[in-house]
């Protein structure tokens, strides 16, 4: 059994002297693993890029510096007209894909006892916002393909 010191605690009993410093040490020790892993990841990427730069051949020719599309030499200007409606449809798809992501957890919570009415009202409010957005897009003529 360790000998008690003048303060009444055993020699080498650091946790009894200052329990907050021991908790802080454990807390920062768990984050040191994350920091070490981040440093190893950054070093891995840096070494990979450095090795690629050292090992690749550098022989620039006019053909290699020419821009191309799928192996075909470019003809005409580089500007092309893109319809905005494709982006609008993609944006609407993303909105409703996010909606489906929220519906699955809602269905699991809705099945739990005691949450039925609250989650039902919250989901109808959420679906109402989406319906108003879809109605707005329809009224603006965004959904008509011309």
């Amino acid at each position: 059994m360790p000998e008690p010191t003048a303060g009444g605690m055993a020699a080498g009993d650091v946790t009894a002297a200052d329990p907050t410093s021991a908790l802080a040490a454990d807390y920062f020790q768990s984050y040191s693993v994350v920091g070490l892993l981040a440093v190893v990841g950054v070093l891995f990427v840096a070494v990979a890029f450095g090795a690629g730069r050292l090992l690749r051949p550098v022989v620039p020719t006019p053909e290699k510096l020419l821009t191309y599309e799928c192996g075909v030499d470019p003809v005409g200007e580089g500007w092309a007209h893109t319809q905005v409606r494709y982006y609008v449809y993609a944006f609407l798809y993303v909105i409703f894909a996010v909606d489906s992501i929220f519906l699955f957890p809602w269905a699991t919570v809705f099945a739990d006892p005691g949450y039925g009415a609250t989650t039902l009202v919250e989901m109808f409010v959420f679906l109402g916002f989406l319906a108003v957005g879809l109605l707005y897009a329809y009224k603006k003529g965004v959904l008509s393909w011309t």
Side-chain angles (χ1 to χ4, degrees), residues 69-94:
E69 179 70 30
C70 298
V72 178
D73 291 335
V75 178
E77 295 182 13
W79 293 99
H81 182 69
T82 305
Q83 297 291 332
V84 175
R85 67 175 156 246
Y86 299 126
Y87 296 111
V88 172
Y89 279 104
F91 187 64
L92 288 173
Y93 169 76
V94 168

Side-chain angles (χ1 to χ4, degrees), residues 1-144:
M1 194 150 127
E3 295 291 323
T5 59
M9 288 184 280
D13 195 7
V14 178
T15 57
D18 191 9
T20 58
S21 67
L23 247 83
D26 289 341
Y27 179 78
F28 287 119
Q29 183 180 6
S30 64
Y31 276 107
S32 66
V33 173
V34 174
L36 180 65
L37 188 62
V39 168
V40 168
V42 168
L43 284 175
F44 180 76
V45 171
V47 167
F49 275 113
R53 173 166 252 163
L54 290 175
L55 297 175
R56 72 175 177 224
V58 181
V59 184
T61 61
E63 290 83 19
K64 288 183 180 178
L65 298 175
L66 182 68
T67 58
Y68 66 95
E69 179 70 30
C70 298
V72 178
D73 291 335
V75 178
E77 295 182 13
W79 293 99
H81 182 69
T82 305
Q83 297 291 332
V84 175
R85 67 175 156 246
Y86 299 126
Y87 296 111
V88 172
Y89 279 104
F91 187 64
L92 288 173
Y93 169 76
V94 168
I95 288 173
F96 287 102
V98 169
D99 175 36
S100 66
I101 289 171
F102 283 119
L103 283 175
F104 288 111
W106 170 75
T108 59
V109 171
F110 185 68
D112 289 342
Y115 291 106
T118 306
T119 56
L120 186 66
V121 169
E122 289 174 353
M123 190 48 64
F124 275 120
V125 168
F126 178 69
L127 292 174
F129 280 122
L130 286 176
V132 168
L134 186 62
L135 182 65
Y136 176 77
Y138 177 75
K139 290 287 186 183
K140 285 289 192 177
V142 171
L143 300 178
S144 63

